[in-house]
Amino acid sequence: MTDSKYFTTTKKGEIFELKSELNNDKKEKKKEAVKKVIASMTVGKDVSALFPDVVNCMQTDNLELKKLVYLYLMNYAKSQPDMAIMAVNTFVKDCEDSNPLIRALAVRTMGCIRVDKITEYLCEPLRKCLKDEDPYVRKTAAVCVAKLYDISSSMVEDQGFLDQLKDLLSDSNPMVVANAVAALSEINEASQSGQPLVEMNSVTINKLLTALNECTEWGQVFILDSLANYSPKDEREAQSICERITPRLAHANAAVVLSAVKVLMKLLEMLSNDSDFCATLTKKLAPPLVTLLSSEPEVQYVALRNINLIVQKRPDILKHEMKVFFVKYNDPIYVKLEKLDIMIRLANQTNIAQVLSELKEYATEVDVDFVRKAVRAIGRCAIKVEPSAERCVSTLLDLIQTKVNYVVQEAIVVIKDIFRKYPNKYESIISTLCENLDTLDEPEARASMVWIIGEYAERIDNADELLDSFLEGFQDENAQVQLQLLTAVVKLFLKRPSDTQELVQHVLSLATQDSDNPDLRDRGFIYWRLLSTDPAAAKEVVLADKPLISEETDLLEPTLLDELICHISSLASVYHKPPTAFVEGRGAGVRKSLPNRAPTAGTAEPEAGGEAMVIPNQESLIGDLLSMDINAPAMPAAAPTTSNVDLLGGGLDILLGGGPAEPAAGGATSLLGDIFGLSGASLSAGVQIPKIVWLPAEKGKGLEIQGTFSRRNGEIFMDMTLTNKAMQPMSNFAIQLNKNSFGLLPASPMQVAPVPPNQTTEATLPLGTHGPVQRMEPLNNLQVAVKNNIDIFYFACLVHGNVLFAEDGQLDKRVFLNTWKEIPAANEVQYSLSGVIGTTDGIASKMTTNNVFTIAKRNVEGQDMLYQSLKLTNNIWVLLELKLQPGNPDATLSLKSRSVEVAPMIFAAYEAIIRSP
């Protein structure tokens, strides 16, 4: 029978039963009882009441039973320090046992029990174990010193344990040496002074290198990491260390290989670049890195992230290995994208033909993200390898001819960069680009096309017409496109002033008077003043020669790259961020850097100097569409106007044909109404949707959460009922929400008193709407993490649409009508409602209470029609038409919005409101 039997019981008085079994005279019964106790402890049951009975079981020769008791002690000693003292004598006695396994087990357990009273008794046994005749005991004691340092650093220093630990570096057993190195590294990181407590010297390093060949793989990793922190005194010593470390590159464990690469990359800085040894070592580094790419995908990804750093620092290492980075059909997307990045970094004149044919093939794949990256890669190759530019442009034109929308858009973005790199060379293709103008719907592609039209306006006969077509929906455009449009029209005016005066006045008016974006407004004012005061100066500013863009737009900053090279084979090398960016506390602030370069190698200087000209890759400037639009509009200062009412579609004022005075007045009235409390609807609570179970007790280790969402006095609340169905109290509650479509986040910390077993408590959490945004499926999906003293629990729930309806969602009649006409028919969705009870007036009143405002009511051929508007908290406007026939329980609800993806959520909320009492 398996060990699962210990996790099941049919006895009612479980603790009592276990207590009697623990005190049984038979050893086997006693061992079975301890196993049951450990099983209960493992699943989160509180068995601390059995502490004295379990401690009594320590007096045994049975190693298995002793291990189980020690495991129990480690878990409960902190909560029962006074009772833990009972075990001290046994620990001290076990530290002198004839069996080395028991001696090691005793000293390890004493080190894990973080209780001051026990720590005092640990010193003497630990001192003996550090000098024990058995290497297993010594290596365990070495790690115990590091644990003791974490509890009481002063005690370790006063008792002389550091000196004993240094002595262990000369131990005859390689595993003892490895553990001593690991302990010293840990102590160095934890040191308050920031100064290393143990200075490495050539004698110590020699001992470590001797132990390196014989210890286990993880021991080798510890030793290599320690060697990486050592700076040899001269080039000869660096060369000697390299020779002794190089065999580690052939190790089967990827961690050992990467740790060896880290040490060698660091030592290469001390070697002359033109020496034969350096060239040989560079060749030896390539095969182990290539071998790592035949591992499973996860290891491949870690290897690729590290290779990315190595290639940026020393591209020569892998310059002949381009083929291993070609993408395989079954590679996961994260591996594909990383390989693509390295391919571009390794691209040069000799292999560019091979790279381009690969990239062209990738551009016909089915994975959209990968195809986009592949098209961008072709553009980056054109910029990096000048002789191949013409071939790259030809490839991009072939891809544009495929008419695949996202391929065309990416191609236009990279062609804009190619124009910047090679001015007056490839402009003949502009006419081909202009043919695809109507298909562009992504902000970056539209902005790139607008830039091309503005930059080469003198070569495009109908440039004014093309730009004018963009201006028709100026308010609907993304901020990036608006800024490019403004600059492009001003460029066109400066090149052809006679026939574009009206156009430039129009765009300046849109930018300065009708926009809420401060960047756009400020740029508009600067251009306006320049043009009105000194057109010649405007020409010099706007039409000035632009700096050529860098071939590598995403290289890491040199000092950061040097620091990350020192962190190869750690998380920092995967994130491409220094440890201080994602680790808090000790060790995070210790900044590492490469040693100074050998005097003969002066090749890095020009590269470092060239960094000033690097223009950031636009990929880093553009978030996803939903994210940008949610954050861009809503500006409280502009509340009286309606220029930013539509999240994805632009302001309703543009639909009025330049007459915003009336809507502005309407907006102001409603604002005053809100200030003086005139609109009673905004202060009343909307429909209350009953709570449902979000987190069942079996998934929450006894914690059950039921919840719902509500809107009260203009605020969103998350109302929860927390039930503790576990055997122990629950406390220290905290909550966190993942990024979501509406930027919801807790407006204040979760306030919940401790919940005793079998008790229930209520919790209400106010939510704000200004958090980070990420589009979810469905849109109203919300991922939640709740933490308490037991664990962290994750669940997802759906936010009720009605709580996202804002109080200022009432439109003026004329604005409603014009907007309804302007929104295309494709953006209209219909929904059938059945079992509708009540009159149109009753429904209108119920809807108003929930911030769905009735704009007008009509009766057409015996049918009642309600025209309604609502605004979501992220400024998406939704227009509704409800058709009812008196006496008929079936109704039709039509929805129009520039963002129709909100429709399912709106329909669900509407149905909940209409069916509410």
Side-chain angles (χ1 to χ4, degrees):
M1 192 173 176
T2 64
D3 286 347
S4 61
K5 64 183 177 179
Y6 302 116
F7 291 86
T8 57
T9 179
T10 54
K11 296 170 184 173
K12 290 181 181 176
E14 195 176 354
I15 297 291
F16 179 78
E17 294 284 349
L18 286 171
K19 197 178 184 78
S20 61
E21 284 179 33
L22 286 168
N23 293 309
N24 199 301
D25 294 335
K26 292 182 181 174
K27 286 184 180 178
E28 278 306 311
K29 283 270 186 187
K30 199 176 275 192
K31 191 163 76 174
E32 292 292 302
V34 175
K35 284 184 178 180
K36 286 179 188 175
V37 171
I38 298 297
S40 298
M41 184 178 84
T42 307
V43 295
K45 290 181 183 173
D46 185 9
V47 283
S48 57
L50 297 168
F51 199 94
D53 304 287
V54 176
V55 169
N56 286 337
C57 299
M58 280 178 78
Q59 307 291 343
T60 178
D61 298 330
N62 188 306
L63 187 61
E64 187 185 2
L65 179 56
K66 200 174 275 287
K67 280 183 180 178
L68 291 168
V69 174
Y70 280 0
L71 189 63
Y72 177 89
L73 276 171
M74 279 190 271
N75 198 41
Y76 283 115
K78 200 166 185 181
S79 59
Q80 309 242 6
D82 295 332
M83 299 191 75
I85 293 295
M86 293 162 53
V88 165
N89 286 335
T90 311
F91 278 132
V92 174
K93 187 180 165 190
D94 283 353
C95 283
E96 296 180 6
D97 195 277
S98 58
N99 186 340
L101 290 175
I102 290 180
R103 295 202 297 275
L105 184 63
V107 78
R108 178 195 293 145
T109 309
M110 283 181 85
C112 291
I113 296 174
R114 303 172 66 87
V115 176
D116 293 337
K117 291 177 182 175
I118 286 189
T119 306
E120 294 167 18
Y121 294 95
L122 172 62
C123 295
E124 206 50 48
L126 180 58
R127 188 175 282 108
K128 286 179 183 174
C129 289
L130 283 166
K131 294 177 180 174
D132 198 280
E133 60 185 25
D134 193 283
Y136 180 75
V137 180
R138 295 199 300 277
K139 83 180 184 76
T140 307
V143 175
C144 193
V145 174
K147 291 178 180 174
L148 184 59
Y149 189 89
D150 195 35
I151 301 167
S152 174
S153 55
S154 56
M155 185 183 288
V156 170
E157 290 168 18
D158 296 344
Q159 295 284 340
F161 289 134
L162 282 179
D163 294 328
Q164 281 189 273
L165 208 50
K166 290 177 203 172
D167 293 342
L168 290 182
L169 292 175
S170 310
D171 199 276
S172 58
N173 186 288
M175 271 317 298
V176 177
V177 176
N179 277 22
V181 168
L184 286 169
S185 302
E186 186 81 13
I187 290 169
N188 268 339
E189 283 186 8
S191 170
Q192 299 297 320
S193 63
Q195 295 298 317
L197 298 171
V198 183
E199 287 292 343
M200 292 288 182
N201 53 42
S202 50
V203 177
T204 313
I205 292 299
N206 202 33
K207 290 172 185 171
L208 296 185
L209 287 166
T210 305
L212 186 63
N213 298 321
E214 298 174 46
C215 60
T216 65
E217 50 197 20
W218 296 112
Q220 290 180 36
V221 170
F222 288 135
I223 291 174
L224 288 167
D225 284 350
S226 190
L227 289 170
N229 296 326
Y230 174 66
S231 294
K233 57 180 182 288
D234 55 30
E235 187 177 344
R236 188 177 171 185
E237 187 185 3
Q239 201 166 316
S240 166
I241 294 172
C242 286
E243 284 172 345
R244 295 179 71 177
I245 285 175
T246 307
R248 299 301 103 212
L249 294 173
H251 203 283
N253 188 313
V256 176
V257 173
L258 282 175
S259 293
V261 168
K262 170 170 63 181
V263 181
L264 294 172
M265 284 292 291
K266 202 167 178 182
L267 294 175
L268 272 170
E269 293 297 304
M270 297 193 66
L271 304 176
S272 304
N273 267 356
D274 49 3
S275 69
D276 291 341
F277 182 81
C278 190
T280 309
L281 189 56
T282 302
K283 283 180 186 172
K284 285 181 180 176
L285 278 170
L289 292 172
V290 170
T291 305
L292 289 176
L293 297 182
S294 57
S295 314
E296 53 270 23
E298 294 79 8
V299 176
Q300 273 189 61
Y301 179 71
V302 172
L304 287 165
R305 292 294 281 173
N306 282 278
I307 288 168
N308 201 322
L309 296 173
I310 293 164
V311 166
Q312 287 185 56
K313 187 69 185 171
R314 290 183 173 272
D316 288 353
I317 291 175
L318 289 159
K319 66 181 178 184
H320 300 302
E321 305 292 343
M322 174 64 86
K323 279 191 176 179
V324 298
F325 299 106
F326 286 174
V327 170
K328 297 174 186 168
Y329 76 96
N330 59 348
D331 280 339
I333 183 66
Y334 55 87
V335 170
K336 284 181 177 178
L337 295 178
E338 206 57 41
K339 280 184 174 179
L340 206 52
D341 209 27
I342 294 168
M343 278 172 66
I344 299 158
R345 296 202 192 288
L346 292 175
N348 55 38
Q349 212 165 326
T350 56
N351 60 26
I352 192 69
Q354 215 177 8
V355 172
L356 272 180
S357 63
E358 276 289 310
L359 292 175
K360 191 172 181 182
E361 195 153 321
Y362 299 162
T364 59
E365 289 273 345
V366 291
D367 192 308
V368 177
D369 286 338
F370 182 54
V371 171
R372 286 174 184 276
K373 191 101 175 184
V375 176
R376 267 184 204 238
I378 295 169
R380 281 173 64 187
C381 287
I383 291 165
K384 185 179 179 186
V385 188
E386 192 167 337
S388 73
E390 195 159 334
R391 190 168 177 173
C392 291
V393 171
S394 165
T395 305
L396 288 169
L397 285 175
D398 290 345
L399 291 172
I400 288 173
Q401 296 307 324
T402 63
K403 299 293 182 188
V404 178
N405 188 267
Y406 53 87
V407 174
V408 171
Q409 306 205 65
E410 286 296 330
I412 285 172
V413 171
V414 294
I415 285 171
K416 184 256 299 184
D417 290 337
I418 293 170
F419 285 170
R420 286 285 304 278
K421 177 72 175 175
Y422 309 111
N424 304 315
K425 201 167 180 186
Y426 299 108
E427 284 73 16
S428 56
I429 66 171
I430 290 175
S431 58
T432 311
L433 303 183
C434 290
E435 289 169 13
N436 296 281
L437 208 58
D438 296 337
T439 63
L440 307 182
D441 54 16
E442 291 172 15
E444 193 179 2
R446 289 175 74 81
S448 298
M449 195 66 227
V450 169
W451 182 87
I452 291 168
I453 295 168
E455 188 67 17
Y456 302 102
E458 71 278 11
R459 304 179 188 211
I460 304 170
D461 296 336
N462 63 336
D464 52 342
E465 291 172 22
L466 295 176
L467 290 175
D468 199 24
S469 68
F470 278 99
L471 288 180
E472 288 169 12
F474 186 80
Q475 298 288 14
D476 300 358
E477 296 287 4
N478 183 281
Q480 182 189 8
V481 183
Q482 290 178 335
L483 286 163
Q484 284 291 6
L485 267 172
L486 174 59
T487 304
V489 171
V490 171
K491 282 180 185 173
L492 176 64
F493 173 71
L494 291 168
K495 291 173 181 179
R496 289 160 45 184
S498 54
D499 53 349
T500 54
Q501 196 162 346
E502 203 174 304
L503 189 63
V504 81
Q505 283 180 341
H506 180 44
V507 78
L508 288 172
S509 169
L510 285 171
T512 55
Q513 293 173 22
D514 300 341
S515 173
D516 295 319
N517 184 333
D519 293 337
L520 183 64
R521 209 166 45 226
D522 291 351
R523 190 184 290 192
F525 280 127
I526 289 168
Y527 284 159
W528 201 316
R529 284 170 189 152
L530 267 173
L531 293 170
S532 57
T533 53
D534 191 351
K539 212 164 193 172
E540 283 181 34
V541 171
V542 181
L543 301 180
D545 290 337
K546 288 156 195 67
L548 298 181
I549 63 172
S550 160
E551 62 216 32
E552 290 285 8
T553 54
D554 56 352
L555 284 174
L556 291 168
E557 191 265 326
T559 52
L560 173 60
L561 179 61
D562 286 354
E563 185 179 357
L564 292 177
I565 292 290
C566 298
H567 289 290
I568 282 176
S569 81
S570 74
L571 264 182
S573 66
V574 178
Y575 289 155
H576 286 190
K577 291 177 182 176
T580 45
F582 58 89
V583 177
E584 291 180 3
R586 63 177 199 177
V590 180
R591 190 181 179 88
K592 297 183 180 180
S593 60
L594 292 176
N596 292 328
R597 258 201 168 299
T600 52
T603 54
E605 269 48 287
E607 279 180 39
E611 284 297 307
M613 294 300 288
V614 171
I615 297 170
N617 188 348
Q618 287 198 358
E619 211 167 21
S620 63
L621 305 177
I622 297 177
D624 81 304
L625 186 61
L626 185 67
S627 170
M628 289 191 68
D629 283 337
I630 284 178
N631 293 330
M635 295 189 65
T641 72
T642 52
S643 61
N644 62 341
V645 289
D646 196 343
L647 173 74
L648 297 175
L652 290 168
D653 56 342
I654 196 168
L655 304 176
L656 297 171
E662 188 177 320
T669 310
S670 62
L671 185 70
L672 288 172
D674 286 350
I675 291 169
F676 293 109
L678 299 177
S679 58
S682 69
L683 296 176
S684 60
V687 62
Q688 297 293 319
I689 294 174
K691 290 177 182 171
I692 59 168
V693 175
W694 284 344
L695 178 70
E698 55 269 22
K699 288 188 179 176
K701 294 186 180 177
L703 172 66
E704 180 184 273
I705 300 178
Q706 295 184 14
T708 187
F709 294 90
S710 60
R711 189 176 186 91
R712 300 190 289 274
N713 297 340
E715 267 195 281
I716 301 171
F717 291 92
M718 196 173 180
D719 299 321
M720 292 170 283
T721 301
L722 281 66
T723 305
N724 180 0
K725 295 186 177 180
M727 302 285 288
Q728 64 190 94
M730 293 184 180
S731 58
N732 303 333
F733 284 93
I735 193 165
Q736 196 168 340
L737 308 184
N738 199 0
K739 292 180 187 175
N740 53 81
S741 308
F742 296 91
L744 296 176
L745 80 173
S748 61
M750 186 176 180
Q751 303 290 339
V752 181
V755 187
N758 300 316
Q759 296 295 312
T760 295
T761 189
E762 300 293 329
T764 296
L765 183 72
L767 300 179
T769 54
H770 302 293
V773 172
Q774 178 176 306
R775 180 166 179 158
M776 305 296 287
E777 283 298 334
L779 274 185
N780 54 335
N781 189 26
L782 183 66
Q783 295 172 341
V784 185
V786 171
K787 178 186 173 189
N788 62 14
N789 58 322
I790 293 174
D791 206 345
I792 301 173
F793 309 105
Y794 303 92
F795 61 87
C797 54
L798 295 179
V799 180
H800 310 314
N802 57 290
V803 304
L804 300 167
F805 299 169
E807 281 67 26
D808 57 347
Q810 185 159 13
L811 283 178
D812 175 83
K813 282 186 185 179
R814 191 162 67 91
V815 176
F816 182 96
L817 183 62
N818 285 337
T819 308
W820 187 277
K821 288 177 184 173
E822 286 290 333
I823 295 175
N827 282 35
E828 182 171 354
V829 189
Q830 292 199 332
Y831 182 72
S832 297
L833 290 162
S834 57
V836 177
I837 301 167
T839 62
T840 49
D841 289 338
I843 290 170
S845 171
K846 195 183 283 187
M847 289 297 162
T848 304
T849 308
N850 288 279
N851 297 334
V852 181
F853 300 96
T854 301
I855 309 301
K857 187 171 83 167
R858 289 189 341 183
N859 187 289
V860 180
E861 297 175 358
Q863 268 196 333
D864 286 334
M865 319 273 274
L866 288 181
Y867 296 96
Q868 298 170 321
S869 70
L870 65 90
K871 184 175 119 181
L872 296 175
T873 52
N874 59 0
N875 294 331
I876 292 181
W877 283 84
V878 178
L879 311 185
L880 300 162
E881 178 192 69
L882 180 67
K883 293 179 186 173
L884 283 163
Q885 200 147 11
N888 187 346
D890 297 329
T892 303
L893 181 64
S894 301
L895 175 149
K896 265 196 170 188
S897 173
R898 293 190 188 275
S899 182
V900 287
E901 49 269 52
V902 300
M905 180 185 78
I906 303 291
F907 290 147
Y910 203 97
E911 186 146 16
I913 296 167
I914 214 166
R915 297 192 189 289
S916 65

